[in-house]
Amino acid sequence: MSSNPVTADARERLLDAAEALVYAGGIHATGVDAIVRAAGAARKSFYTWFESKDALVAAALTRRDERWMRWFIEGTMKRGRTPRTRLIGMFDLLREWFASEDFHGCAFLNAAGETASPDDPVREVARLHKARLLAFIVEQCEAWAEAVGADRRVAARLARQWLILIDGAIGVALVSGAADAALDARAAGQQLLDALAPQSSQSSQSLRTRGAAPEARGRS
């Protein structure tokens, strides 16, 4: 494979074009010619780097996974100093995404829905993305469990439920066009944390909340 800077640049432009077009319109509705045209590349460049459209889409999604996870992790960590505020803050972060003009749902769920075989390389990238997202959520749930004195098995169950809340909010926001779907998921998440926390932890947290300033309570 050529390492010529010109052809390498064409590869990046093909990836950019494929990601943008597929995310906006879907895999099946996006042809190779449209990708090549949007990339401003020669059709030969496509075959230099990719053996098929599916290979290009899989590569574009892999790159998107890296960027999306970096955005989500960094954004979450900035949302709060405690595991609870970070978990709840995930939905505030998602709401900002839902309200953006280029929001078209989860690129990985969208792509997985267009592939029939579980062994499809595109489906595999989607599966790996959700595994990475779940792993990060597990870290935050385990930190929350340690902070409130909950069992690690509770944290594992909570993490799976939290992923469903996130993906559910994404799906509802896509279909309804309502960014506030994230706030509904946020409220459900708060109730879930309260229900799973040991009773003694709930009591002490309630005391701290009543003693906090109004603006601090609004950020929890």
Side-chain angles (χ1 to χ4, degrees), residues 95-117:
R95 189 186 184 284
E96 293 178 3
W97 179 36
F98 296 168
S100 64
E101 292 184 359
D102 62 347
F103 172 71
H104 302 292
C106 173
F108 305 92
L109 290 177
N110 295 348
E114 290 198 69
T115 58
S117 171

Side-chain angles (χ1 to χ4, degrees), residues 82-85 88 144 147-148 190 193-195 197-212 217 220:
T82 68
R84 180 186 174 94
T85 55
I88 295 300
W144 169 84
V148 302
Q190 288 175 317
L193 291 175
D194 291 340
Q199 198 65 35
S200 59
S201 174
Q202 290 186 46
S203 298
S204 61
Q205 185 175 58
S206 177
L207 289 172
R208 289 196 302 272
T209 300
R210 285 201 296 270
R217 291 200 299 270
S220 64

